[in-house]
Amino acid sequence: MDKLLIEGGHRLDGVLRISGAKNSALPILCATLLTDQPVTIANAPHLHDVTTMIELLGCLGAEVVIDEKMRVEVSARQLKSLRAPYDLVKTMRASFLVMGPLLARFGRAEVSLPGGCAIGSRPVDQHLKGFEALGARIEVLDGYVTANVDGQLKGADIVMDLVTVGGTENLMMAAVLAQGTTRIINAAKEPEIVDLGHMLNSMGAQVSGHGTSVVTIQGVEALHGCEYKVMPDRVETGTYLIAVAATGGHVRLERTAPETLGAVLAKLTLAGCELETGPDWIELSMHGRRPKAVDIETAVYPGFPTDMQAQFLAMNAIADGTSTISETIFENRFMHVQEIMRLGARIELHGSSVAIVHGVAKLHAAPVMATDLRASFSLVVAALVAEGRTLIDRIYHIDRGYETIEEKLQQLGASVQRVS
Ligand code: UD1
């Protein structure tokens, strides 16, 4: 099993190109199932989760070709199966997003109940409630959810009980081929929802209000092929900004989208970072300063993203002062705390949703273990500032979400090696 060996204490400095957004590429790949014509997706990141999704599309019978420029062409002219098997869904929760497109186009879908990161129970009740509102019959049997509709789905008003990114995406994809108008009320507003809405519209769908709390979808008879470029990854962007800030360094990130990172940039400014932004770049300078402790409370977009909580907590561990980190989106998303404490951090956990971080001047290397995707990068941040060589085990979690992590970190001057 691969591990990362990081020698801490190097101040990061350099220029990086940000990859396409994983959380946008995954629903967009699912949306290719909505048409019998070829769809080409550019800027999809080269990540395990994306490969898993491509494998799932292949297993359903779609033809997938990846060209020399890493563009993914999916042709779902005819499918051979409408069943997403446990083996693929268990490794990645986003596989559940094939349900909306399959149900919309073929009137039936069978998808294993999802797995993915072990962060809380993460049910799919809101997805299922929405499909039922659109006229589907749902059955859960032997770990599989089966959805059926006689004829076509019918547009409806769907009021979401809570804001869910995946739920909003699944229902948008189901509604584009439904008869009549659907309104998703209390929809998620994340930039990835906006990206999916744009992509669906490039296929001929009539989606409006994406990026607001009410998404309206006027169903159409059929969708056509298109070519679409995935947005830049805001989580990868924020993660590298935090990592560089923690080391007191400097970075210029290119091919990114600063407008999707408002809450994160505001917190980094409070931490003492000097930030400059342009249309598609962000520059951060810390001039060797130690970051200041900053309180964080995660929230749905445009609040501070839960996917950057762990990394920010790691920076706070060596910051000047004490901070409070509150996690409001997922239960059980503090598994990184015990591991960071192995490096000498002083953190108190209050229940499962609040951590008080007392910044210390130095961390010291120790063997640690990655527990979930974003938490694993928090260990990288901690290792980059710790004195000595830290070995991070189970980095398959990192490979699910961060493209060529060691190359990117080395480009910034970090001492990082992948070892097995
Ligand atoms: C997506 C992101 C993930 C991010 C999360 C929150 C992808 C592939 N993943 O995950 O990286 O951390 O948004 O920004 O885009 N919930 C229910 N019932 C449902 C659906 C969700 O109770 O039917 C709950 C979840 O348990 C969780 C909260 O709602 O507590 C938010 O989940 P959701 O927004 O759906 O996250 P994902 O789409 O799974």
Side-chain angles (χ1 to χ4, degrees), residues 22-23 26 93-94 122-127 162-167 190 306-307 329-330 333:
K22 168 183 91 75
N23 286 355
L26 296 176
R93 182 183 161 78
R122 302 184 83 176
V124 286
D125 57 309
Q126 297 301 308
H127 303 231
L162 50 86
V163 177
T164 146
V165 177
E190 268 64 4
T306 175
D307 284 354
I329 307 292
F330 291 113
R333 211 174 195 187

Side-chain angles (χ1 to χ4, degrees), residues 127-418:
H127 303 231
L128 302 183
K129 203 182 103 177
F131 293 140
E132 278 177 335
L134 296 176
R137 283 187 317 280
I138 305 285
E139 264 181 312
V140 182
L141 197 66
D142 300 333
Y144 278 78
V145 181
T146 306
N148 276 294
V149 62
D150 299 326
Q152 251 178 305
L153 293 172
K154 295 208 171 41
D157 275 2
I158 304 169
V159 183
M160 310 296 280
D161 296 334
L162 50 86
V163 177
T164 146
V165 177
T168 305
E169 292 165 345
N170 226 343
L171 295 173
M172 281 165 72
M173 292 189 279
V176 285
L177 294 178
Q179 258 171 15
T181 306
T182 298
R183 286 194 310 157
I184 306 173
I185 298 159
N186 197 24
K189 296 186 274 200
E190 268 64 4
E192 293 76 15
I193 303 273
V194 178
D195 213 27
L196 175 64
H198 289 334
M199 186 268 183
L200 291 169
N201 286 344
S202 329
M203 294 172 83
Q206 289 188 21
V207 181
S208 58
H210 36 309
T212 75
S213 56
V214 181
V215 180
T216 305
I217 303 119
Q218 177 68 52
V220 295
E221 275 200 2
L223 296 181
H224 52 71
C226 74
E227 201 169 320
Y228 193 80
K229 185 174 173 199
V230 172
M231 66 177 276
D233 197 313
R234 65 192 170 105
V235 182
E236 189 195 31
T237 304
T239 300
Y240 281 106
L241 290 175
I242 294 167
V244 171
T247 68
H250 161 266
V251 73
R252 182 181 163 95
L253 299 179
E254 297 180 339
R255 294 198 193 168
T256 184
E259 71 280 6
T260 61
L261 280 128
V264 177
L265 299 184
K267 291 292 180 185
L268 285 168
T269 305
L270 289 175
C273 305
E274 235 174 69
L275 285 165
E276 244 192 285
T277 60
D280 64 351
W281 57 267
I282 303 178
E283 201 159 336
L284 176 145
S285 311
M286 210 52 188
H287 304 291
R289 288 189 301 261
R290 181 179 174 197
K292 288 184 251 178
V294 178
D295 294 341
I296 296 291
E297 178 168 310
T298 61
V300 295
Y301 191 83
F304 190 90
T306 175
D307 284 354
M308 283 179 239
Q309 176 260 103
Q311 302 88 313
F312 215 99
L313 180 144
M315 181 171 78
N316 273 344
I318 51 96
D320 185 12
T322 294
S323 57
T324 305
I325 309 277
S326 311
E327 172 59 55
T328 71
I329 307 292
F330 291 113
E331 357 162 340
N332 201 15
R333 211 174 195 187
F334 278 129
M335 287 180 293
H336 45 293
V337 166
Q338 296 303 333
E339 297 300 307
I340 296 180
M341 284 171 69
R342 290 171 53 78
L343 304 180
R346 283 183 54 218
I347 306 172
E348 297 159 38
L349 277 180
H350 292 255
S352 60
S353 61
V354 175
I356 311 279
V357 185
H358 303 281
V360 294
K362 280 202 163 61
L363 295 177
H364 301 276
V368 289
M369 197 174 75
T371 50
D372 71 60
L373 168 49
R374 304 303 171 187
S376 43
F377 210 111
S378 71
L379 302 179
V380 172
V381 173
L384 286 169
V385 293
E387 276 182 353
R389 282 146 62 98
T390 296
L391 189 64
I392 308 179
D393 200 352
R394 299 205 180 170
I395 57 153
Y396 57 85
H397 288 293
I398 303 192
D399 293 331
R400 286 186 47 205
Y402 292 94
E403 194 172 52
T404 56
I405 176 175
E406 60 271 41
E407 280 89 344
K408 286 193 174 182
L409 286 170
Q410 282 160 1
Q411 218 170 310
L412 298 178
S415 163
V416 183
Q417 272 177 61
R418 186 179 285 257

